[in-house]
Amino acid sequence: MKIFKISLGIVFSIAVFVSCTEDFEEINTPPNAIIASNVDAGLLGQAFANAQMRSMRGAPGGGAGGFQLAQSLFADIYSQYFANTATNFDSDRHIQVGGWSNGVWNYFYQQAAPLLQFVVDFTEENGMEVENAIGRVLKVHAYQRHTDYWGPIIYSEFGNGETSVNYDTQESVYRDFFNQLDIAVNALKANPGARAFVGHDQVYAGNADQWLTFANSLRLRVAMRVKYVDPALAKAEAEKAVADGVMMSNADNAAVLTTPFSRHPYWTITNWGEFRMSALMESILSGYEDPRLQIYFSQTDDFTTSGEGKPYRGLRNGLPRADLDQGALNRAFSDMGVRWLNEVRGGSAAGPEFRMMCAAEVYFLRAEGALEGWAMGGTAKELYEKGIEMSMTEERIAATPEQVAAYTASMSMPAPVVYPENSAWNLPGSSDIPVAFLENGDMESQLEQIITQKWIAIYPDGWEAWTELRRTGYPDPYPRVASDNVDVPRDEVMARLIFVEGEYNSNREAVEAATQIPELTSRGGDTNATRLWWDAKQNKPW
């Protein structure tokens, strides 16, 4: 009998997703163990379904509040998609609130990681080649998000049954991602047309060929992430991904299904009124006269009531507590678009699908690779323009060919942001780059165009947007009004999250050893200003 031990003495339970139209339930198992011989293929599928949703939601409970802690209050703010309006929320001033990040870390290792590990281990031991491959792809996606917050994480020793669980360097984690994807891709290529987790797979409904496309696309993302720290590895893996077949159309997009029993978290947290569109978003979308503005955001309540002023407004990031008049700010600045709102506010019963990766992102990754001279199946200009097309013709946008052509040819630039209520907040346009690809421009300007359009296209995935901002420096963020973090001034970007308090209580020896990993010590130690392993680009805008 195989028993899977869980680290840190956690009482492990499989949270079972009963079906696509029923809510999550909990099935309790003996402390610290799952007995694999008692789990059948049906329960395996339910565990896989849970792993899909829980690896995306990110914090205690797995619900909207957990997502708020994991993404809305960290990555969404640090990517400058949104700005905080809630008086007692300090993360917008570069503060890592310990209780929040502790919850994110604990939730991942208590709920998401055990499910992922169980699916991979069980399918491997039972010769379920296709299911194992899909489980590995999902595991890479989940752990990439996790390591991109902290850098070194618990990875290879997770589930070792010991009271002390060592951390892996981010470098070793990333290099293993390629190994995991090799195993998965080889298995999926050997089983064309296969079906797996049918009735439980909330992303591709069991279509293994689509998981293969996702695996290759994910390899491309992972490859580009290491471009500045290991260019040779990045090139080899990126070219391998494109040669094997990446996302080519919006039909390939990866997104977790939402239902009235498993809604998109924004459906709930937008109703709490704690954030609004950022100044950077206003500058870029309004300056570009981007038709996605009216889809991504709602007109302000003040404009709707009076008809005066601008209908779409973005707020400065990092306002001091004294300036956080939540009610007034929420009325004066733009909330998310109706697509993410609840039914009472004009939205749907569940919100949109919970997107993991899209074809537009893949085209922009290929465009960046083409800039480097890699074999990406097209020129940088061709792939850049195709990325814009993919974004603007998604179901949520549905732009016409004429709108796409006009936008792609536009020489408009990001606009200044003006605040009649406080001129001290006024900002110049965030950049001088247009939408139209600068064929004769320098490579850095072309990269800024590519990453800026990717930032727009992957909205509202703040998790990935913050990561790409740190990696490339784009889009060039506005300085915050204030920073309360001595390590991260207001005109710089949070580089990572520091290790959490709970680890010092339950895994002290390992976490203290992790703080001495050269990846960290050579760049400043366990601080919010310390760049991650892949964060090696020089001469960023800030």
Side-chain angles (χ1 to χ4, degrees), residues 77-78 80 91-95 316-320 424-428 469 476-494 529 542:
I77 297 294
Y78 298 144
Q80 292 199 13
S91 58
D92 205 356
R93 294 189 302 281
H94 286 157
I95 292 298
R316 286 291 301 267
N317 283 95
L319 293 186
W425 294 355
N426 289 352
L427 294 163
L469 171 60
D476 189 3
Y478 283 129
R480 282 170 155 69
V481 176
S483 172
D484 293 342
N485 189 327
V486 296
D487 292 325
V488 189
R490 71 183 191 90
D491 59 350
E492 295 187 8
V493 172
M494 285 276 279
W542 61 85

mmCIF file of all heavy atoms in Angstrom, residues 77-78 80 91-95 316-320 424-428 469 476-494 529 542:
data_model
loop_
_atom_site.group_PDB
_atom_site.id
_atom_site.type_symbol
_atom_site.label_atom_id
_atom_site.label_comp_id
_atom_site.label_asym_id
_atom_site.label_seq_id
_atom_site.Cartn_x
_atom_site.Cartn_y
_atom_site.Cartn_z
ATOM 1 N N ILE A 77 -1.953 44.797 -7.888
ATOM 2 C CA ILE A 77 -1.522 46.142 -7.510
ATOM 3 C C ILE A 77 -0.106 46.419 -8.020
ATOM 4 O O ILE A 77 0.179 47.500 -8.555
ATOM 5 C CB ILE A 77 -1.578 46.302 -5.983
ATOM 6 C CG1 ILE A 77 -3.026 46.155 -5.473
ATOM 7 C CG2 ILE A 77 -0.974 47.625 -5.545
ATOM 8 C CD1 ILE A 77 -3.970 47.243 -5.928
ATOM 9 N N TYR A 78 0.784 45.439 -7.890
ATOM 10 C CA TYR A 78 2.183 45.654 -8.277
ATOM 11 C C TYR A 78 2.369 45.666 -9.790
ATOM 12 O O TYR A 78 3.345 46.232 -10.289
ATOM 13 C CB TYR A 78 3.080 44.607 -7.620
ATOM 14 C CG TYR A 78 3.038 44.686 -6.109
ATOM 15 C CD1 TYR A 78 3.114 43.550 -5.322
ATOM 16 C CD2 TYR A 78 2.886 45.917 -5.463
ATOM 17 C CE1 TYR A 78 3.053 43.635 -3.926
ATOM 18 C CE2 TYR A 78 2.822 46.011 -4.088
ATOM 19 C CZ TYR A 78 2.910 44.861 -3.321
ATOM 20 O OH TYR A 78 2.845 44.959 -1.955
ATOM 21 N N GLN A 80 0.287 47.210 -11.586
ATOM 22 C CA GLN A 80 -0.415 48.462 -11.886
ATOM 23 C C GLN A 80 -1.575 48.268 -12.856
ATOM 24 O O GLN A 80 -1.864 49.115 -13.693
ATOM 25 C CB GLN A 80 0.550 49.548 -12.365
ATOM 26 C CG GLN A 80 1.484 50.017 -11.261
ATOM 27 C CD GLN A 80 2.138 51.363 -11.505
ATOM 28 O OE1 GLN A 80 1.757 52.119 -12.398
ATOM 29 N NE2 GLN A 80 3.135 51.691 -10.680
ATOM 30 N N SER A 91 -0.800 47.300 0.962
ATOM 31 C CA SER A 91 0.084 46.666 -0.024
ATOM 32 C C SER A 91 0.405 47.596 -1.187
ATOM 33 O O SER A 91 1.460 47.464 -1.805
ATOM 34 C CB SER A 91 -0.526 45.353 -0.525
ATOM 35 O OG SER A 91 -1.804 45.561 -1.089
ATOM 36 N N ASP A 92 -0.485 48.543 -1.496
ATOM 37 C CA ASP A 92 -0.223 49.462 -2.598
ATOM 38 C C ASP A 92 0.923 50.420 -2.283
ATOM 39 O O ASP A 92 1.449 51.080 -3.174
ATOM 40 C CB ASP A 92 -1.492 50.244 -2.943
ATOM 41 C CG ASP A 92 -1.514 50.732 -4.383
ATOM 42 O OD1 ASP A 92 -0.517 50.532 -5.095
ATOM 43 O OD2 ASP A 92 -2.524 51.321 -4.805
ATOM 44 N N ARG A 93 1.302 50.493 -1.023
ATOM 45 C CA ARG A 93 2.465 51.302 -0.636
ATOM 46 C C ARG A 93 3.657 50.386 -0.337
ATOM 47 O O ARG A 93 4.479 50.668 0.517
ATOM 48 C CB ARG A 93 2.122 52.180 0.571
ATOM 49 C CG ARG A 93 1.070 53.250 0.256
ATOM 50 C CD ARG A 93 0.892 54.245 1.379
ATOM 51 N NE ARG A 93 0.521 53.612 2.629
ATOM 52 C CZ ARG A 93 -0.707 53.198 2.943
ATOM 53 N NH1 ARG A 93 -1.699 53.371 2.079
ATOM 54 N NH2 ARG A 93 -0.957 52.626 4.097
ATOM 55 N N HIS A 94 3.723 49.296 -1.075
ATOM 56 C CA HIS A 94 4.853 48.357 -1.039
ATOM 57 C C HIS A 94 4.997 47.628 0.298
ATOM 58 O O HIS A 94 6.094 47.209 0.651
ATOM 59 C CB HIS A 94 6.167 49.081 -1.369
ATOM 60 C CG HIS A 94 6.318 49.415 -2.816
ATOM 61 N ND1 HIS A 94 7.143 50.427 -3.259
ATOM 62 C CD2 HIS A 94 5.758 48.874 -3.939
ATOM 63 C CE1 HIS A 94 7.090 50.503 -4.585
ATOM 64 N NE2 HIS A 94 6.251 49.569 -5.010
ATOM 65 N N ILE A 95 3.904 47.443 0.995
ATOM 66 C CA ILE A 95 3.939 46.680 2.243
ATOM 67 C C ILE A 95 3.454 45.256 1.976
ATOM 68 O O ILE A 95 2.364 45.056 1.417
ATOM 69 C CB ILE A 95 3.065 47.337 3.326
ATOM 70 C CG1 ILE A 95 3.678 48.672 3.751
ATOM 71 C CG2 ILE A 95 2.915 46.418 4.530
ATOM 72 C CD1 ILE A 95 5.057 48.555 4.380
ATOM 73 N N ARG A 316 -4.108 56.973 -9.026
ATOM 74 C CA ARG A 316 -2.701 56.813 -8.691
ATOM 75 C C ARG A 316 -2.510 55.658 -7.714
ATOM 76 O O ARG A 316 -3.294 55.458 -6.787
ATOM 77 C CB ARG A 316 -2.149 58.088 -8.024
ATOM 78 C CG ARG A 316 -1.919 59.266 -8.946
ATOM 79 C CD ARG A 316 -0.779 59.038 -9.917
ATOM 80 N NE ARG A 316 0.498 58.765 -9.291
ATOM 81 C CZ ARG A 316 1.415 59.684 -8.995
ATOM 82 N NH1 ARG A 316 1.175 60.970 -9.249
ATOM 83 N NH2 ARG A 316 2.575 59.325 -8.466
ATOM 84 N N ASN A 317 -1.431 54.909 -7.897
ATOM 85 C CA ASN A 317 -1.066 53.860 -6.941
ATOM 86 C C ASN A 317 -0.331 54.460 -5.754
ATOM 87 O O ASN A 317 0.372 55.458 -5.877
ATOM 88 C CB ASN A 317 -0.159 52.824 -7.607
ATOM 89 C CG ASN A 317 -0.917 51.872 -8.499
ATOM 90 O OD1 ASN A 317 -1.008 52.074 -9.702
ATOM 91 N ND2 ASN A 317 -1.466 50.819 -7.919
ATOM 92 N N GLY A 318 -0.506 53.818 -4.585
ATOM 93 C CA GLY A 318 0.261 54.176 -3.411
ATOM 94 C C GLY A 318 -0.240 55.388 -2.646
ATOM 95 O O GLY A 318 0.565 56.084 -2.012
ATOM 96 N N LEU A 319 -1.542 55.646 -2.680
ATOM 97 C CA LEU A 319 -2.049 56.786 -1.921
ATOM 98 C C LEU A 319 -1.865 56.562 -0.420
ATOM 99 O O LEU A 319 -2.122 55.464 0.090
ATOM 100 C CB LEU A 319 -3.539 57.008 -2.205
ATOM 101 C CG LEU A 319 -3.941 57.448 -3.621
ATOM 102 C CD1 LEU A 319 -5.423 57.757 -3.654
ATOM 103 C CD2 LEU A 319 -3.129 58.636 -4.083
ATOM 104 N N PRO A 320 -1.426 57.591 0.319
ATOM 105 C CA PRO A 320 -1.355 57.479 1.783
ATOM 106 C C PRO A 320 -2.740 57.244 2.367
ATOM 107 O O PRO A 320 -3.762 57.589 1.749
ATOM 108 C CB PRO A 320 -0.795 58.835 2.209
ATOM 109 C CG PRO A 320 -0.151 59.402 0.985
ATOM 110 C CD PRO A 320 -0.947 58.883 -0.174
ATOM 111 N N ALA A 424 -1.318 67.749 -7.863
ATOM 112 C CA ALA A 424 -0.045 67.139 -7.475
ATOM 113 C C ALA A 424 0.039 65.684 -7.944
ATOM 114 O O ALA A 424 1.132 65.124 -8.025
ATOM 115 C CB ALA A 424 0.148 67.202 -5.967
ATOM 116 N N TRP A 425 -1.106 65.088 -8.245
ATOM 117 C CA TRP A 425 -1.122 63.711 -8.730
ATOM 118 C C TRP A 425 -0.897 63.616 -10.233
ATOM 119 O O TRP A 425 -0.717 62.523 -10.764
ATOM 120 C CB TRP A 425 -2.459 63.054 -8.413
ATOM 121 C CG TRP A 425 -2.749 62.852 -6.956
ATOM 122 C CD1 TRP A 425 -1.938 63.090 -5.900
ATOM 123 C CD2 TRP A 425 -3.977 62.350 -6.413
ATOM 124 N NE1 TRP A 425 -2.555 62.776 -4.717
ATOM 125 C CE2 TRP A 425 -3.828 62.326 -4.997
ATOM 126 C CE3 TRP A 425 -5.191 61.938 -6.962
ATOM 127 C CZ2 TRP A 425 -4.840 61.886 -4.141
ATOM 128 C CZ3 TRP A 425 -6.205 61.511 -6.116
ATOM 129 C CH2 TRP A 425 -6.020 61.480 -4.710
ATOM 130 N N ASN A 426 -0.938 64.747 -10.949
ATOM 131 C CA ASN A 426 -0.888 64.717 -12.408
ATOM 132 C C ASN A 426 0.358 63.992 -12.918
ATOM 133 O O ASN A 426 1.443 64.077 -12.320
ATOM 134 C CB ASN A 426 -0.901 66.137 -12.975
ATOM 135 C CG ASN A 426 -2.257 66.816 -12.813
ATOM 136 O OD1 ASN A 426 -3.235 66.188 -12.410
ATOM 137 N ND2 ASN A 426 -2.307 68.103 -13.116
ATOM 138 N N LEU A 427 0.181 63.309 -14.056
ATOM 139 C CA LEU A 427 1.257 62.502 -14.625
ATOM 140 C C LEU A 427 1.377 62.731 -16.126
ATOM 141 O O LEU A 427 0.369 62.932 -16.805
ATOM 142 C CB LEU A 427 0.971 61.007 -14.386
ATOM 143 C CG LEU A 427 0.988 60.521 -12.943
ATOM 144 C CD1 LEU A 427 0.289 59.171 -12.840
ATOM 145 C CD2 LEU A 427 2.418 60.423 -12.424
ATOM 146 N N PRO A 428 2.589 62.672 -16.662
ATOM 147 C CA PRO A 428 2.747 62.721 -18.120
ATOM 148 C C PRO A 428 2.337 61.378 -18.728
ATOM 149 O O PRO A 428 2.105 60.404 -18.011
ATOM 150 C CB PRO A 428 4.245 62.965 -18.291
ATOM 151 C CG PRO A 428 4.848 62.285 -17.093
ATOM 152 C CD PRO A 428 3.877 62.512 -15.962
ATOM 153 N N LEU A 469 6.519 42.446 -15.832
ATOM 154 C CA LEU A 469 7.011 43.789 -15.518
ATOM 155 C C LEU A 469 8.374 43.718 -14.855
ATOM 156 O O LEU A 469 9.303 44.455 -15.211
ATOM 157 C CB LEU A 469 6.008 44.506 -14.608
ATOM 158 C CG LEU A 469 6.460 45.841 -14.007
ATOM 159 C CD1 LEU A 469 6.795 46.854 -15.094
ATOM 160 C CD2 LEU A 469 5.392 46.387 -13.070
ATOM 161 N N ASP A 476 6.482 50.695 -18.557
ATOM 162 C CA ASP A 476 7.176 51.518 -17.575
ATOM 163 C C ASP A 476 6.171 52.032 -16.542
ATOM 164 O O ASP A 476 5.287 52.819 -16.879
ATOM 165 C CB ASP A 476 7.850 52.688 -18.290
ATOM 166 C CG ASP A 476 8.771 53.482 -17.378
ATOM 167 O OD1 ASP A 476 8.929 53.095 -16.198
ATOM 168 O OD2 ASP A 476 9.322 54.493 -17.843
ATOM 169 N N PRO A 477 6.259 51.584 -15.290
ATOM 170 C CA PRO A 477 5.227 51.944 -14.309
ATOM 171 C C PRO A 477 5.406 53.365 -13.793
ATOM 172 O O PRO A 477 6.507 53.924 -13.799
ATOM 173 C CB PRO A 477 5.459 50.929 -13.188
ATOM 174 C CG PRO A 477 6.925 50.626 -13.266
ATOM 175 C CD PRO A 477 7.283 50.680 -14.728
ATOM 176 N N TYR A 478 4.292 53.946 -13.349
ATOM 177 C CA TYR A 478 4.358 55.246 -12.699
ATOM 178 C C TYR A 478 4.897 55.090 -11.270
ATOM 179 O O TYR A 478 4.630 54.071 -10.609
ATOM 180 C CB TYR A 478 2.977 55.877 -12.617
ATOM 181 C CG TYR A 478 2.470 56.474 -13.905
ATOM 182 C CD1 TYR A 478 1.212 56.139 -14.392
ATOM 183 C CD2 TYR A 478 3.229 57.398 -14.621
ATOM 184 C CE1 TYR A 478 0.724 56.706 -15.563
ATOM 185 C CE2 TYR A 478 2.746 57.967 -15.793
ATOM 186 C CZ TYR A 478 1.501 57.618 -16.258
ATOM 187 O OH TYR A 478 1.014 58.173 -17.416
ATOM 188 N N PRO A 479 5.625 56.078 -10.760
ATOM 189 C CA PRO A 479 5.991 56.045 -9.339
ATOM 190 C C PRO A 479 4.731 56.073 -8.475
ATOM 191 O O PRO A 479 3.728 56.716 -8.833
ATOM 192 C CB PRO A 479 6.811 57.328 -9.143
ATOM 193 C CG PRO A 479 7.227 57.737 -10.509
ATOM 194 C CD PRO A 479 6.152 57.273 -11.440
ATOM 195 N N ARG A 480 4.774 55.380 -7.366
ATOM 196 C CA ARG A 480 3.668 55.469 -6.424
ATOM 197 C C ARG A 480 3.680 56.839 -5.734
ATOM 198 O O ARG A 480 4.724 57.489 -5.656
ATOM 199 C CB ARG A 480 3.774 54.342 -5.399
ATOM 200 C CG ARG A 480 3.312 53.021 -5.966
ATOM 201 C CD ARG A 480 3.602 51.819 -5.116
ATOM 202 N NE ARG A 480 2.669 50.748 -5.415
ATOM 203 C CZ ARG A 480 2.648 50.062 -6.566
ATOM 204 N NH1 ARG A 480 3.512 50.327 -7.504
ATOM 205 N NH2 ARG A 480 1.744 49.122 -6.763
ATOM 206 N N VAL A 481 2.537 57.228 -5.242
ATOM 207 C CA VAL A 481 2.489 58.478 -4.484
ATOM 208 C C VAL A 481 3.355 58.353 -3.239
ATOM 209 O O VAL A 481 4.071 59.285 -2.851
ATOM 210 C CB VAL A 481 1.039 58.834 -4.109
ATOM 211 C CG1 VAL A 481 0.999 60.084 -3.223
ATOM 212 C CG2 VAL A 481 0.205 59.053 -5.366
ATOM 213 N N ALA A 482 3.325 57.176 -2.609
ATOM 214 C CA ALA A 482 4.123 56.950 -1.404
ATOM 215 C C ALA A 482 4.470 55.478 -1.288
ATOM 216 O O ALA A 482 3.767 54.610 -1.817
ATOM 217 C CB ALA A 482 3.357 57.412 -0.156
ATOM 218 N N SER A 483 5.588 55.197 -0.601
ATOM 219 C CA SER A 483 5.959 53.838 -0.225
ATOM 220 C C SER A 483 6.244 53.825 1.263
ATOM 221 O O SER A 483 6.929 54.715 1.775
ATOM 222 C CB SER A 483 7.194 53.372 -0.998
ATOM 223 O OG SER A 483 7.658 52.126 -0.503
ATOM 224 N N ASP A 484 5.736 52.807 1.955
ATOM 225 C CA ASP A 484 6.000 52.638 3.379
ATOM 226 C C ASP A 484 7.041 51.562 3.624
ATOM 227 O O ASP A 484 7.251 51.135 4.756
ATOM 228 C CB ASP A 484 4.702 52.274 4.118
ATOM 229 C CG ASP A 484 3.698 53.414 4.117
ATOM 230 O OD1 ASP A 484 4.104 54.560 3.873
ATOM 231 O OD2 ASP A 484 2.499 53.139 4.326
ATOM 232 N N ASN A 485 7.703 51.102 2.565
ATOM 233 C CA ASN A 485 8.697 50.030 2.654
ATOM 234 C C ASN A 485 10.085 50.628 2.460
ATOM 235 O O ASN A 485 10.398 51.162 1.381
ATOM 236 C CB ASN A 485 8.415 48.976 1.586
ATOM 237 C CG ASN A 485 9.245 47.719 1.727
ATOM 238 O OD1 ASN A 485 10.389 47.756 2.161
ATOM 239 N ND2 ASN A 485 8.679 46.587 1.342
ATOM 240 N N VAL A 486 10.931 50.551 3.465
ATOM 241 C CA VAL A 486 12.255 51.170 3.384
ATOM 242 C C VAL A 486 13.126 50.515 2.319
ATOM 243 O O VAL A 486 14.089 51.119 1.827
ATOM 244 C CB VAL A 486 12.982 51.119 4.752
ATOM 245 C CG1 VAL A 486 12.232 51.935 5.785
ATOM 246 C CG2 VAL A 486 13.150 49.673 5.227
ATOM 247 N N ASP A 487 12.806 49.277 1.950
ATOM 248 C CA ASP A 487 13.605 48.572 0.954
ATOM 249 C C ASP A 487 13.187 48.882 -0.479
ATOM 250 O O ASP A 487 13.967 48.683 -1.417
ATOM 251 C CB ASP A 487 13.511 47.055 1.175
ATOM 252 C CG ASP A 487 14.196 46.610 2.454
ATOM 253 O OD1 ASP A 487 15.226 47.204 2.810
ATOM 254 O OD2 ASP A 487 13.690 45.670 3.102
ATOM 255 N N VAL A 488 11.957 49.340 -0.663
ATOM 256 C CA VAL A 488 11.426 49.553 -2.017
ATOM 257 C C VAL A 488 10.866 50.970 -2.113
ATOM 258 O O VAL A 488 9.733 51.227 -1.713
ATOM 259 C CB VAL A 488 10.330 48.527 -2.364
ATOM 260 C CG1 VAL A 488 9.970 48.635 -3.848
ATOM 261 C CG2 VAL A 488 10.771 47.110 -2.034
ATOM 262 N N PRO A 489 11.635 51.916 -2.639
ATOM 263 C CA PRO A 489 11.149 53.284 -2.787
ATOM 264 C C PRO A 489 9.927 53.368 -3.701
ATOM 265 O O PRO A 489 9.630 52.439 -4.461
ATOM 266 C CB PRO A 489 12.346 54.017 -3.401
ATOM 267 C CG PRO A 489 13.531 53.178 -3.066
ATOM 268 C CD PRO A 489 13.028 51.756 -3.059
ATOM 269 N N ARG A 490 9.259 54.485 -3.667
ATOM 270 C CA ARG A 490 8.006 54.633 -4.407
ATOM 271 C C ARG A 490 8.199 54.572 -5.912
ATOM 272 O O ARG A 490 7.265 54.241 -6.658
ATOM 273 C CB ARG A 490 7.326 55.946 -4.015
ATOM 274 C CG ARG A 490 8.014 57.201 -4.515
ATOM 275 C CD ARG A 490 7.330 58.469 -4.027
ATOM 276 N NE ARG A 490 7.840 59.658 -4.713
ATOM 277 C CZ ARG A 490 7.330 60.149 -5.838
ATOM 278 N NH1 ARG A 490 6.292 59.562 -6.411
ATOM 279 N NH2 ARG A 490 7.836 61.213 -6.405
ATOM 280 N N ASP A 491 9.425 54.868 -6.404
ATOM 281 C CA ASP A 491 9.672 54.851 -7.841
ATOM 282 C C ASP A 491 10.317 53.557 -8.314
ATOM 283 O O ASP A 491 10.828 53.483 -9.429
ATOM 284 C CB ASP A 491 10.533 56.047 -8.252
ATOM 285 C CG ASP A 491 11.877 56.082 -7.542
ATOM 286 O OD1 ASP A 491 12.066 55.297 -6.599
ATOM 287 O OD2 ASP A 491 12.721 56.908 -7.943
ATOM 288 N N GLU A 492 10.280 52.521 -7.466
ATOM 289 C CA GLU A 492 10.770 51.209 -7.866
ATOM 290 C C GLU A 492 9.635 50.195 -7.786
ATOM 291 O O GLU A 492 8.516 50.524 -7.395
ATOM 292 C CB GLU A 492 11.959 50.797 -6.991
ATOM 293 C CG GLU A 492 13.177 51.703 -7.192
ATOM 294 C CD GLU A 492 14.412 51.211 -6.475
ATOM 295 O OE1 GLU A 492 14.374 50.082 -5.931
ATOM 296 O OE2 GLU A 492 15.406 51.960 -6.448
ATOM 297 N N VAL A 493 9.943 48.964 -8.150
ATOM 298 C CA VAL A 493 8.925 47.907 -8.226
ATOM 299 C C VAL A 493 9.251 46.827 -7.201
ATOM 300 O O VAL A 493 10.408 46.422 -7.069
ATOM 301 C CB VAL A 493 8.886 47.307 -9.648
ATOM 302 C CG1 VAL A 493 7.979 46.077 -9.705
ATOM 303 C CG2 VAL A 493 8.423 48.359 -10.648
ATOM 304 N N MET A 494 8.236 46.357 -6.486
ATOM 305 C CA MET A 494 8.424 45.215 -5.592
ATOM 306 C C MET A 494 8.997 44.052 -6.392
ATOM 307 O O MET A 494 8.449 43.662 -7.427
ATOM 308 C CB MET A 494 7.102 44.793 -4.967
ATOM 309 C CG MET A 494 6.601 45.693 -3.869
ATOM 310 S SD MET A 494 7.301 45.332 -2.236
ATOM 311 C CE MET A 494 6.289 43.950 -1.714
ATOM 312 N N ALA A 529 13.162 43.826 -2.116
ATOM 313 C CA ALA A 529 13.902 44.471 -3.202
ATOM 314 C C ALA A 529 14.841 43.515 -3.925
ATOM 315 O O ALA A 529 15.455 43.904 -4.930
ATOM 316 C CB ALA A 529 14.701 45.648 -2.655
ATOM 317 N N TRP A 542 13.190 51.957 -14.303
ATOM 318 C CA TRP A 542 13.214 52.537 -12.967
ATOM 319 C C TRP A 542 14.572 52.344 -12.298
ATOM 320 O O TRP A 542 15.377 51.543 -12.677
ATOM 321 C CB TRP A 542 12.112 51.943 -12.096
ATOM 322 C CG TRP A 542 12.196 50.474 -11.864
ATOM 323 C CD1 TRP A 542 12.936 49.832 -10.907
ATOM 324 C CD2 TRP A 542 11.520 49.443 -12.590
ATOM 325 N NE1 TRP A 542 12.760 48.475 -10.978
ATOM 326 C CE2 TRP A 542 11.896 48.207 -12.016
ATOM 327 C CE3 TRP A 542 10.636 49.440 -13.665
ATOM 328 C CZ2 TRP A 542 11.417 47.001 -12.481
ATOM 329 C CZ3 TRP A 542 10.168 48.233 -14.125
ATOM 330 C CH2 TRP A 542 10.557 47.030 -13.544
#
